[in-house]
Amino acid sequence: MKYYPVYLDLAGERAVVIGADQLADEKAALLQEAGAVVERLAAADYRDGILAGARIVIDAGGDLELNARVWAEAEAAGILVNVVDRTHQCRFIAPAIVRRDPLLIAISTEGESPFLASTLRKRLETWLGSEWGPFTALVGRIRRGLRRRGIPLADQTPVYRRLLNSRIREHLRAGRTDAAEYEAAAIAATAGALRPGRVALVGAGPGDPGLLTVAAQELLAGADLVFHDALVGPEVLAMASPDAELVAVGKRGGRRSARQDEITAALIEAAGAGREVVRLKGGDLFVFGRGGEELNALLAAGIEVVVVPGVSAAVAAPAAAGIPLTMRGVSASVAFATATGADADIPERLIELAAAADTLVLLMPLGVLDELAARLAGVLGPQRPAAVIADATLPTERVVRGTLADIAGLARAGAVAAPATLVVGEVVNAVSRRPMAATVRVL
């Protein structure tokens, strides 16, 4: 670490700013906001010894000879000095600042790229809305109140987590200050007492972490316990808080996994113990994901539940492969289903569904792909276009195209593995096909 990050208390301290342009004006204005007593100097005003008694000096004049003199005097006197755009003549560098007073976030690239620091600042400003300022001040008031009441730190931490995961920021964003204050006071009153937690049922999307919703990311960051399926990859799990406990409850390849009743019981127990729980499921939790079963059980147990939809692989896989599910003049209807029923047989209604829709999307088809393609060919014709997309949206994504007559053999020859999605219909070839290196990916 080249620079030690620190915030300076400059209230009442002498600060010297050298320069007469807009940049010098901006530097002086920030120092004044921090409470410093700012003295402005033009380059012609500088004299040896003029920095005596200063706590900090910024030279924004751009004169190389003067830069060297200012640096030498400040160094000799032990004054913090910054010569703008001369990192070798800086005892500190000014970071890009995200201001949500009293919340301040400083961003530094250690002088490598001011442009990058500025760009990151702008991105953070879009994420951290204006409500974060009053929210920070409110949390500070709650903290001081808890300390006056003698609440131990271990009992304060759950309060802060509940404040962060509450609707308080939403209230502040909408100007509902009274509602925010009321909810904050109610949460603070529970300090030290066992308070039921909450379960967030969250769809993790098809795999690429970039397709996780903003709401899902916030809930993961605020959770202290995450139950996740096997299809949820490490890059998505990395978005959880470093302090969160991660529990794998998924099933892959027929291996032993937690039963649904065991998972539901664990969710209820954890929430009853006051924990902030995220139940993270691949794709969308209500699209063949048993999310409805878990929601019913949690509500019946009196647990507070938040539901966050995810991008289903049924939609994302074809899109990532450049296959539009509907297209004018090609397909006006689309049907979604799983490839097998509860008894591992191909249900007759699936075949009827295929005949009724222009495009058919089937999840989890690989285990029965030979029989499935043959039966669909009997209804739709063996030359109906078909595609299998595996590991959709991930770097390992594979797309195999063919017809119902040969798609099973092509998938087998290509060693396509689960998770996979089958698309059947003219839309498979509706978009001009490109070389493999130019495969369409939607991110």
Side-chain angles (χ1 to χ4, degrees):
M1 188 167 63
K2 186 176 179 181
Y3 291 91
Y4 180 74
V6 65
Y7 289 87
L8 298 176
D9 180 0
L10 295 176
E13 300 289 339
R14 180 176 177 236
V16 177
V17 177
I18 302 170
D21 60 5
Q22 181 181 349
L23 178 59
D25 293 341
E26 293 172 355
K27 301 293 185 182
L30 281 173
L31 288 167
Q32 285 175 332
E33 282 197 69
V37 179
V38 179
E39 181 178 347
R40 296 290 301 274
L41 296 177
D45 298 329
Y46 182 81
R47 300 287 184 274
D48 290 341
I50 202 169
L51 302 182
R55 177 74 74 177
I56 188 171
V57 58
I58 297 177
D59 183 355
D63 183 314
L64 296 184
E65 181 180 349
L66 181 59
N67 292 162
R69 291 174 62 193
V70 170
W71 163 257
E73 181 179 345
E75 276 287 276
I79 302 169
L80 286 173
V81 58
N82 175 283
V83 178
V84 175
D85 286 337
R86 300 286 184 270
T87 54
H88 65 286
Q89 293 175 326
C90 292
R91 278 298 165 193
F92 74 94
I93 55 176
I97 301 173
V98 178
R99 293 189 58 177
R100 296 292 183 262
D101 301 328
L103 174 65
L104 294 177
I105 299 177
I107 305 165
S108 169
T109 60
E110 295 192 338
E112 294 291 335
S113 176
F115 170 80
L116 181 57
S118 176
T119 299
L120 290 173
R121 171 184 61 80
K122 293 172 183 176
R123 292 193 180 188
L124 283 173
E125 284 177 337
T126 65
W127 176 55
L128 295 169
S130 59
E131 72 276 5
W132 278 90
F135 176 73
T136 302
L138 185 152
V139 173
R141 293 195 298 274
I142 295 295
R143 175 177 173 269
R144 289 187 290 275
L146 294 177
R147 294 182 68 181
R148 285 194 299 270
R149 289 164 52 191
I151 302 297
L153 181 59
D155 290 333
Q156 292 180 35
T157 301
V159 172
Y160 303 142
R161 181 177 287 113
R162 287 195 289 271
L163 290 171
L164 191 60
N165 292 338
S166 70
R167 297 184 61 197
I168 292 174
R169 282 180 290 128
E170 178 186 332
H171 291 318
L172 292 171
R173 189 163 51 245
R176 299 189 295 266
T177 305
D178 290 345
E181 295 282 356
Y182 179 84
E183 185 165 346
I187 291 173
T190 67
L194 179 61
R195 179 181 181 274
R198 180 181 66 176
V199 175
L201 300 176
V202 177
D208 190 307
L211 296 178
L212 205 66
T213 65
V214 173
Q217 293 180 45
E218 287 214 358
L219 285 164
L220 274 174
D224 59 15
L225 177 59
V226 179
F227 290 96
H228 63 91
D229 285 348
L231 293 179
V232 179
E235 290 185 330
V236 172
L237 294 175
M239 295 183 177
S241 165
D243 299 326
E245 179 185 355
L246 305 180
V247 180
V249 293
K251 182 177 183 179
R252 290 294 298 272
R255 293 190 292 269
R256 170 71 172 88
S257 65
R259 299 195 311 269
Q260 184 59 54
D261 58 345
E262 294 174 339
I263 297 171
T264 303
L267 293 173
I268 293 171
E269 180 182 5
R275 305 191 70 175
E276 290 289 327
V277 184
V278 165
R279 173 68 171 108
L280 196 60
K281 303 171 77 70
D284 181 89
L285 61 160
F286 286 170
V287 179
F288 308 114
R290 292 192 170 183
E293 298 174 35
E294 294 178 359
L295 177 61
N296 263 338
L298 290 166
L299 292 177
I303 302 298
E304 179 185 354
V305 183
V306 176
V307 175
V308 178
V311 179
S312 173
V315 175
I323 299 173
L325 294 182
T326 62
M327 189 172 181
R328 188 167 54 180
V330 180
S331 171
S333 60
V334 58
F336 302 95
T338 55
T340 60
D343 54 2
D345 291 329
I346 299 172
E348 190 61 36
R349 63 180 180 277
L350 188 155
I351 306 302
E352 297 170 357
L353 192 64
D358 296 323
T359 303
L360 179 66
V361 180
L362 297 177
L363 301 178
M364 299 169 284
L366 292 184
V368 293
L369 190 55
D370 285 280
E371 180 187 357
L372 179 63
R375 292 194 61 184
L376 290 173
V379 177
L380 305 175
Q383 296 309 306
R384 180 64 65 95
V388 174
I389 305 109
D391 286 343
T393 76
L394 295 173
T396 52
E397 177 181 293
R398 300 277 309 278
V399 181
V400 175
R401 299 173 189 256
T403 65
L404 287 174
D406 61 13
I407 191 64
L410 291 172
R412 191 161 42 251
V416 172
T421 303
L422 173 67
V423 183
V424 179
E426 298 300 330
V427 292
V428 168
N429 297 325
V431 176
S432 298
R433 292 164 72 174
R434 305 179 180 187
M436 186 61 68
T439 298
V440 178
R441 294 192 72 223
V442 178
L443 296 178

mmCIF file with all atom_site columns, all heavy atoms in Angstrom, residues 112-125:
data_model
loop_
_atom_site.group_PDB
_atom_site.id
_atom_site.type_symbol
_atom_site.label_atom_id
_atom_site.label_alt_id
_atom_site.label_comp_id
_atom_site.label_asym_id
_atom_site.label_entity_id
_atom_site.label_seq_id
_atom_site.pdbx_PDB_ins_code
_atom_site.Cartn_x
_atom_site.Cartn_y
_atom_site.Cartn_z
_atom_site.occupancy
_atom_site.B_iso_or_equiv
_atom_site.pdbx_formal_charge
_atom_site.auth_seq_id
_atom_site.auth_comp_id
_atom_site.auth_asym_id
_atom_site.auth_atom_id
_atom_site.pdbx_PDB_model_num
ATOM 1   N N   . GLU A 1 112 ? -2.384  6.388  -10.029 1.00 0.00 ? 112 GLU A N   1
ATOM 2   C CA  . GLU A 1 112 ? -2.241  5.697  -11.307 1.00 0.00 ? 112 GLU A CA  1
ATOM 3   C C   . GLU A 1 112 ? -3.218  6.212  -12.356 1.00 0.00 ? 112 GLU A C   1
ATOM 4   O O   . GLU A 1 112 ? -2.875  6.362  -13.524 1.00 0.00 ? 112 GLU A O   1
ATOM 5   C CB  . GLU A 1 112 ? -2.432  4.188  -11.118 1.00 0.00 ? 112 GLU A CB  1
ATOM 6   C CG  . GLU A 1 112 ? -1.366  3.518  -10.282 1.00 0.00 ? 112 GLU A CG  1
ATOM 7   C CD  . GLU A 1 112 ? -0.020  3.485  -10.985 1.00 0.00 ? 112 GLU A CD  1
ATOM 8   O OE1 . GLU A 1 112 ? 0.010   3.528  -12.225 1.00 0.00 ? 112 GLU A OE1 1
ATOM 9   O OE2 . GLU A 1 112 ? 0.999   3.444  -10.278 1.00 0.00 ? 112 GLU A OE2 1
ATOM 10  N N   . SER A 1 113 ? -4.466  6.475  -11.957 1.00 0.00 ? 113 SER A N   1
ATOM 11  C CA  . SER A 1 113 ? -5.464  6.892  -12.934 1.00 0.00 ? 113 SER A CA  1
ATOM 12  C C   . SER A 1 113 ? -6.552  7.719  -12.276 1.00 0.00 ? 113 SER A C   1
ATOM 13  O O   . SER A 1 113 ? -7.556  7.179  -11.805 1.00 0.00 ? 113 SER A O   1
ATOM 14  C CB  . SER A 1 113 ? -6.090  5.668  -13.626 1.00 0.00 ? 113 SER A CB  1
ATOM 15  O OG  . SER A 1 113 ? -7.127  6.077  -14.505 1.00 0.00 ? 113 SER A OG  1
ATOM 16  N N   . PRO A 1 114 ? -6.393  9.041  -12.254 1.00 0.00 ? 114 PRO A N   1
ATOM 17  C CA  . PRO A 1 114 ? -7.462  9.903  -11.750 1.00 0.00 ? 114 PRO A CA  1
ATOM 18  C C   . PRO A 1 114 ? -8.773  9.693  -12.503 1.00 0.00 ? 114 PRO A C   1
ATOM 19  O O   . PRO A 1 114 ? -9.859  9.795  -11.932 1.00 0.00 ? 114 PRO A O   1
ATOM 20  C CB  . PRO A 1 114 ? -6.904  11.310 -11.967 1.00 0.00 ? 114 PRO A CB  1
ATOM 21  C CG  . PRO A 1 114 ? -5.420  11.129 -11.946 1.00 0.00 ? 114 PRO A CG  1
ATOM 22  C CD  . PRO A 1 114 ? -5.185  9.799  -12.594 1.00 0.00 ? 114 PRO A CD  1
ATOM 23  N N   . PHE A 1 115 ? -8.689  9.384  -13.814 1.00 0.00 ? 115 PHE A N   1
ATOM 24  C CA  . PHE A 1 115 ? -9.909  9.134  -14.593 1.00 0.00 ? 115 PHE A CA  1
ATOM 25  C C   . PHE A 1 115 ? -10.676 7.951  -14.034 1.00 0.00 ? 115 PHE A C   1
ATOM 26  O O   . PHE A 1 115 ? -11.907 8.002  -13.876 1.00 0.00 ? 115 PHE A O   1
ATOM 27  C CB  . PHE A 1 115 ? -9.554  8.874  -16.055 1.00 0.00 ? 115 PHE A CB  1
ATOM 28  C CG  . PHE A 1 115 ? -10.715 8.370  -16.874 1.00 0.00 ? 115 PHE A CG  1
ATOM 29  C CD1 . PHE A 1 115 ? -11.680 9.242  -17.357 1.00 0.00 ? 115 PHE A CD1 1
ATOM 30  C CD2 . PHE A 1 115 ? -10.859 7.012  -17.131 1.00 0.00 ? 115 PHE A CD2 1
ATOM 31  C CE1 . PHE A 1 115 ? -12.762 8.770  -18.086 1.00 0.00 ? 115 PHE A CE1 1
ATOM 32  C CE2 . PHE A 1 115 ? -11.930 6.533  -17.860 1.00 0.00 ? 115 PHE A CE2 1
ATOM 33  C CZ  . PHE A 1 115 ? -12.888 7.423  -18.342 1.00 0.00 ? 115 PHE A CZ  1
ATOM 34  N N   . LEU A 1 116 ? -9.969  6.866  -13.718 1.00 0.00 ? 116 LEU A N   1
ATOM 35  C CA  . LEU A 1 116 ? -10.635 5.679  -13.174 1.00 0.00 ? 116 LEU A CA  1
ATOM 36  C C   . LEU A 1 116 ? -11.260 5.990  -11.820 1.00 0.00 ? 116 LEU A C   1
ATOM 37  O O   . LEU A 1 116 ? -12.389 5.567  -11.538 1.00 0.00 ? 116 LEU A O   1
ATOM 38  C CB  . LEU A 1 116 ? -9.628  4.529  -13.043 1.00 0.00 ? 116 LEU A CB  1
ATOM 39  C CG  . LEU A 1 116 ? -10.168 3.210  -12.510 1.00 0.00 ? 116 LEU A CG  1
ATOM 40  C CD1 . LEU A 1 116 ? -11.311 2.698  -13.370 1.00 0.00 ? 116 LEU A CD1 1
ATOM 41  C CD2 . LEU A 1 116 ? -9.056  2.168  -12.430 1.00 0.00 ? 116 LEU A CD2 1
ATOM 42  N N   . ALA A 1 117 ? -10.550 6.734  -10.972 1.00 0.00 ? 117 ALA A N   1
ATOM 43  C CA  . ALA A 1 117 ? -11.107 7.101  -9.668  1.00 0.00 ? 117 ALA A CA  1
ATOM 44  C C   . ALA A 1 117 ? -12.378 7.919  -9.844  1.00 0.00 ? 117 ALA A C   1
ATOM 45  O O   . ALA A 1 117 ? -13.374 7.708  -9.146  1.00 0.00 ? 117 ALA A O   1
ATOM 46  C CB  . ALA A 1 117 ? -10.073 7.886  -8.862  1.00 0.00 ? 117 ALA A CB  1
ATOM 47  N N   . SER A 1 118 ? -12.357 8.854  -10.797 1.00 0.00 ? 118 SER A N   1
ATOM 48  C CA  . SER A 1 118 ? -13.538 9.677  -11.055 1.00 0.00 ? 118 SER A CA  1
ATOM 49  C C   . SER A 1 118 ? -14.699 8.844  -11.584 1.00 0.00 ? 118 SER A C   1
ATOM 50  O O   . SER A 1 118 ? -15.858 9.041  -11.200 1.00 0.00 ? 118 SER A O   1
ATOM 51  C CB  . SER A 1 118 ? -13.185 10.780 -12.052 1.00 0.00 ? 118 SER A CB  1
ATOM 52  O OG  . SER A 1 118 ? -14.316 11.544 -12.401 1.00 0.00 ? 118 SER A OG  1
ATOM 53  N N   . THR A 1 119 ? -14.395 7.890  -12.461 1.00 0.00 ? 119 THR A N   1
ATOM 54  C CA  . THR A 1 119 ? -15.446 7.031  -13.028 1.00 0.00 ? 119 THR A CA  1
ATOM 55  C C   . THR A 1 119 ? -16.079 6.170  -11.940 1.00 0.00 ? 119 THR A C   1
ATOM 56  O O   . THR A 1 119 ? -17.307 6.019  -11.887 1.00 0.00 ? 119 THR A O   1
ATOM 57  C CB  . THR A 1 119 ? -14.851 6.135  -14.127 1.00 0.00 ? 119 THR A CB  1
ATOM 58  O OG1 . THR A 1 119 ? -14.332 6.969  -15.169 1.00 0.00 ? 119 THR A OG1 1
ATOM 59  C CG2 . THR A 1 119 ? -15.920 5.212  -14.705 1.00 0.00 ? 119 THR A CG2 1
ATOM 60  N N   . LEU A 1 120 ? -15.248 5.609  -11.053 1.00 0.00 ? 120 LEU A N   1
ATOM 61  C CA  . LEU A 1 120 ? -15.783 4.800  -9.959  1.00 0.00 ? 120 LEU A CA  1
ATOM 62  C C   . LEU A 1 120 ? -16.629 5.655  -9.019  1.00 0.00 ? 120 LEU A C   1
ATOM 63  O O   . LEU A 1 120 ? -17.654 5.196  -8.501  1.00 0.00 ? 120 LEU A O   1
ATOM 64  C CB  . LEU A 1 120 ? -14.640 4.138  -9.195  1.00 0.00 ? 120 LEU A CB  1
ATOM 65  C CG  . LEU A 1 120 ? -13.905 3.026  -9.952  1.00 0.00 ? 120 LEU A CG  1
ATOM 66  C CD1 . LEU A 1 120 ? -12.691 2.555  -9.166  1.00 0.00 ? 120 LEU A CD1 1
ATOM 67  C CD2 . LEU A 1 120 ? -14.837 1.862  -10.240 1.00 0.00 ? 120 LEU A CD2 1
ATOM 68  N N   . ARG A 1 121 ? -16.199 6.888  -8.807  1.00 0.00 ? 121 ARG A N   1
ATOM 69  C CA  . ARG A 1 121 ? -17.002 7.794  -7.964  1.00 0.00 ? 121 ARG A CA  1
ATOM 70  C C   . ARG A 1 121 ? -18.393 7.975  -8.561  1.00 0.00 ? 121 ARG A C   1
ATOM 71  O O   . ARG A 1 121 ? -19.406 7.891  -7.854  1.00 0.00 ? 121 ARG A O   1
ATOM 72  C CB  . ARG A 1 121 ? -16.302 9.157  -7.845  1.00 0.00 ? 121 ARG A CB  1
ATOM 73  C CG  . ARG A 1 121 ? -17.171 10.218 -7.161  1.00 0.00 ? 121 ARG A CG  1
ATOM 74  C CD  . ARG A 1 121 ? -16.496 11.570 -7.134  1.00 0.00 ? 121 ARG A CD  1
ATOM 75  N NE  . ARG A 1 121 ? -16.216 12.078 -8.463  1.00 0.00 ? 121 ARG A NE  1
ATOM 76  C CZ  . ARG A 1 121 ? -17.117 12.671 -9.248  1.00 0.00 ? 121 ARG A CZ  1
ATOM 77  N NH1 . ARG A 1 121 ? -18.362 12.797 -8.839  1.00 0.00 ? 121 ARG A NH1 1
ATOM 78  N NH2 . ARG A 1 121 ? -16.772 13.117 -10.436 1.00 0.00 ? 121 ARG A NH2 1
ATOM 79  N N   . LYS A 1 122 ? -18.464 8.210  -9.862  1.00 0.00 ? 122 LYS A N   1
ATOM 80  C CA  . LYS A 1 122 ? -19.762 8.422  -10.508 1.00 0.00 ? 122 LYS A CA  1
ATOM 81  C C   . LYS A 1 122 ? -20.636 7.179  -10.410 1.00 0.00 ? 122 LYS A C   1
ATOM 82  O O   . LYS A 1 122 ? -21.859 7.276  -10.230 1.00 0.00 ? 122 LYS A O   1
ATOM 83  C CB  . LYS A 1 122 ? -19.557 8.830  -11.962 1.00 0.00 ? 122 LYS A CB  1
ATOM 84  C CG  . LYS A 1 122 ? -18.915 10.199 -12.123 1.00 0.00 ? 122 LYS A CG  1
ATOM 85  C CD  . LYS A 1 122 ? -18.554 10.493 -13.570 1.00 0.00 ? 122 LYS A CD  1
ATOM 86  C CE  . LYS A 1 122 ? -17.848 11.832 -13.701 1.00 0.00 ? 122 LYS A CE  1
ATOM 87  N NZ  . LYS A 1 122 ? -17.396 12.101 -15.080 1.00 0.00 ? 122 LYS A NZ  1
ATOM 88  N N   . ARG A 1 123 ? -20.018 6.012  -10.537 1.00 0.00 ? 123 ARG A N   1
ATOM 89  C CA  . ARG A 1 123 ? -20.800 4.776  -10.435 1.00 0.00 ? 123 ARG A CA  1
ATOM 90  C C   . ARG A 1 123 ? -21.337 4.584  -9.019  1.00 0.00 ? 123 ARG A C   1
ATOM 91  O O   . ARG A 1 123 ? -22.487 4.185  -8.830  1.00 0.00 ? 123 ARG A O   1
ATOM 92  C CB  . ARG A 1 123 ? -19.947 3.574  -10.852 1.00 0.00 ? 123 ARG A CB  1
ATOM 93  C CG  . ARG A 1 123 ? -19.603 3.570  -12.322 1.00 0.00 ? 123 ARG A CG  1
ATOM 94  C CD  . ARG A 1 123 ? -19.035 2.242  -12.755 1.00 0.00 ? 123 ARG A CD  1
ATOM 95  N NE  . ARG A 1 123 ? -18.715 2.241  -14.173 1.00 0.00 ? 123 ARG A NE  1
ATOM 96  C CZ  . ARG A 1 123 ? -18.344 1.160  -14.860 1.00 0.00 ? 123 ARG A CZ  1
ATOM 97  N NH1 . ARG A 1 123 ? -18.253 -0.008 -14.241 1.00 0.00 ? 123 ARG A NH1 1
ATOM 98  N NH2 . ARG A 1 123 ? -18.069 1.236  -16.140 1.00 0.00 ? 123 ARG A NH2 1
ATOM 99  N N   . LEU A 1 124 ? -20.503 4.870  -8.036  1.00 0.00 ? 124 LEU A N   1
ATOM 100 C CA  . LEU A 1 124 ? -20.956 4.742  -6.654  1.00 0.00 ? 124 LEU A CA  1
ATOM 101 C C   . LEU A 1 124 ? -22.046 5.747  -6.326  1.00 0.00 ? 124 LEU A C   1
ATOM 102 O O   . LEU A 1 124 ? -22.962 5.458  -5.558  1.00 0.00 ? 124 LEU A O   1
ATOM 103 C CB  . LEU A 1 124 ? -19.777 4.917  -5.692  1.00 0.00 ? 124 LEU A CB  1
ATOM 104 C CG  . LEU A 1 124 ? -18.844 3.716  -5.549  1.00 0.00 ? 124 LEU A CG  1
ATOM 105 C CD1 . LEU A 1 124 ? -17.632 4.088  -4.709  1.00 0.00 ? 124 LEU A CD1 1
ATOM 106 C CD2 . LEU A 1 124 ? -19.565 2.529  -4.936  1.00 0.00 ? 124 LEU A CD2 1
ATOM 107 N N   . GLU A 1 125 ? -21.976 6.923  -6.933  1.00 0.00 ? 125 GLU A N   1
ATOM 108 C CA  . GLU A 1 125 ? -23.010 7.931  -6.688  1.00 0.00 ? 125 GLU A CA  1
ATOM 109 C C   . GLU A 1 125 ? -24.370 7.475  -7.201  1.00 0.00 ? 125 GLU A C   1
ATOM 110 O O   . GLU A 1 125 ? -25.401 7.825  -6.628  1.00 0.00 ? 125 GLU A O   1
ATOM 111 C CB  . GLU A 1 125 ? -22.605 9.253  -7.337  1.00 0.00 ? 125 GLU A CB  1
ATOM 112 C CG  . GLU A 1 125 ? -21.530 9.999  -6.570  1.00 0.00 ? 125 GLU A CG  1
ATOM 113 C CD  . GLU A 1 125 ? -21.080 11.267 -7.257  1.00 0.00 ? 125 GLU A CD  1
ATOM 114 O OE1 . GLU A 1 125 ? -21.248 11.367 -8.491  1.00 0.00 ? 125 GLU A OE1 1
ATOM 115 O OE2 . GLU A 1 125 ? -20.552 12.156 -6.565  1.00 0.00 ? 125 GLU A OE2 1
#
